[in-house]
Amino acid sequence: MHAQLRKSVDVQSLDPTVLGEQLGHLSSLGKQVSEASAAILKHYLTFLGTTANFGGSVEDFKQTFEFLSRMAGDSPIVAPYLEDDEANGAFESMPFVFAARELIGWVGEGKPTTPAGVLTGETLQDAAQALGMFIKVDESAEAIEHPEWEPEDGTSVPSLADIPRLSAYWDALIGTALLRYQAPNATPTESLSEALLATSGAGSRLIKELIAEVLYSHILINTLEKPGQAQIAEMVAGVLSNAASTNTVRTEFALQIPTKEDLPEEQHHLIPSLEEVVPQVESLLRVFEREGLVQITEEITVPIVLRSSLERALGKVSEHVLKTDSDSNDSEA
């Protein structure tokens, strides 16, 4: 079919324009038909690339791969294969690994929590200090409406939820089973703690990937659940997804607030909203950068070693959105 539309037989490359026409015809038979066909063509394209038989340029390959990924309903994230030693070597320089080790080291043989595994009082204050945050816990203080990722030294907070960075890491330790609750303490899982502290081996790599996955999903889902912040989370998720793909994300464009000269007149009404939203998008991206989960220079990129973690996390975020929408529809019914 591709050859007929192209009016030539070339088994070493695929024409995106012809692919669009081809998959457009197939979509008339049903979405599943076009998605399955795109998936088959993507496998074939990957075969051409891995066997060095692709007939076009690198840019041609990227363009076609991205197009077929979208048409197949796949994530655009590209996660090249890494050996365990290479992956563990990359993890050693990442702030989130250091922070997780510091926190699990602070827990030691166990720390008291509520029955739900939540830190409170002086223990919460000590946990924050383990991550380099010198705050005061005052349970009678008012909750902070928009708490900073890392509260300034001396800030009084009433609960764990008011220390977003500590909350995210505590969630990561519990979510990966590094910590388990044994009344009245949260205690480390010895084998997983050893894996986190190790610098080699498949187990060490896996626990670090899982921590990154929980951090990505925790931050995005928490942002989604804040009133008026859903758009911020969605935009950041989109930037991260592209930053982990073969597409280059230029920082100056991704974080640029457009002017009237940049947009057609019928879109000028969007500018006030973007003036408010874009700085918040950058702020959230800087949170990911602070923990080593994204790199922001002239381009925004997700480290190769973290791309599988991000892909799984974005899947969790999508499931959360779908569940929220479903629950909302059920309550309205």
Side-chain angles (χ1 to χ4, degrees), residues 6-270:
R6 199 175 193 177
K7 296 182 173 57
S8 70
V9 177
D10 179 359
V11 297
Q12 291 184 304
S13 64
L14 297 170
D15 185 329
T17 303
V18 173
L19 285 173
E21 183 180 354
Q22 178 180 350
L23 294 171
H25 290 316
L26 290 171
S27 64
S28 65
L29 300 176
K31 184 179 179 183
Q32 287 183 325
V33 176
S34 61
E35 287 186 346
S37 299
I40 292 169
L41 288 164
K42 182 180 171 184
H43 281 300
Y44 176 61
L45 178 68
T46 303
F47 163 75
L48 291 175
T50 55
T51 58
N53 282 311
F54 183 70
S57 66
V58 173
E59 288 305 314
D60 291 336
F61 183 88
K62 287 182 178 180
Q63 182 183 6
T64 306
F65 186 90
E66 293 289 343
F67 173 76
L68 288 173
S69 291
R70 289 194 300 272
M71 294 302 293
D74 295 340
S75 164
I77 292 173
V78 177
Y81 175 77
L82 293 177
E83 295 286 351
D84 290 336
D85 287 346
E86 186 179 5
N88 279 313
F91 278 127
E92 283 306 296
S93 63
M94 293 188 171
F96 83 89
V97 174
F98 176 81
R101 286 171 172 170
E102 287 295 297
L103 194 53
I104 201 72
W106 168 80
V107 172
E109 295 182 358
K111 285 290 188 287
T113 68
T114 69
V118 176
L119 295 167
T120 59
E122 188 176 341
T123 307
L124 172 58
Q125 189 168 300
D126 292 343
Q129 188 170 340
L131 291 184
M133 295 177 287
F134 299 92
I135 51 88
K136 297 177 181 177
V137 174
D138 179 358
E139 294 177 357
S140 64
E142 289 187 12
I144 303 170
E145 186 175 359
H146 300 294
E148 295 291 328
W149 178 245
E150 293 181 272
E152 291 185 8
D153 288 356
T155 301
S156 291
V157 300
S159 68
L160 177 61
D162 298 283
I163 317 172
R165 185 168 185 247
L166 176 57
S167 177
Y169 276 96
W170 194 251
D171 188 29
L173 295 188
I174 292 174
T176 56
L178 267 161
L179 288 181
R180 61 190 188 279
Y181 183 71
Q182 292 182 335
N185 292 336
T187 58
T189 303
E190 186 176 352
S191 59
L192 296 180
S193 298
E194 290 173 354
L196 173 60
L197 297 174
T199 59
S200 62
S204 181
R205 172 187 186 168
L206 177 59
I207 196 63
K208 296 161 191 169
E209 288 181 342
L210 291 174
I211 291 170
E213 178 184 336
V214 176
L215 289 173
Y216 279 124
S217 59
H218 174 99
I219 295 168
L220 288 171
I221 289 173
N222 271 23
T223 306
L224 274 171
E225 292 178 338
K226 294 175 183 174
Q229 296 288 296
Q231 184 184 7
I232 311 299
E234 290 165 4
M235 290 179 70
V236 169
V239 171
L240 290 174
S241 181
N242 282 316
S245 74
T246 56
N247 286 331
T248 299
V249 180
R250 294 287 300 276
T251 304
E252 63 178 309
F253 294 121
L255 303 179
Q256 180 185 39
I257 300 174
T259 64
K260 290 183 177 180
E261 289 72 31
D262 299 320
L263 298 175
E265 187 174 351
E266 60 270 20
Q267 294 183 357
H268 286 179
H269 68 283
L270 299 174

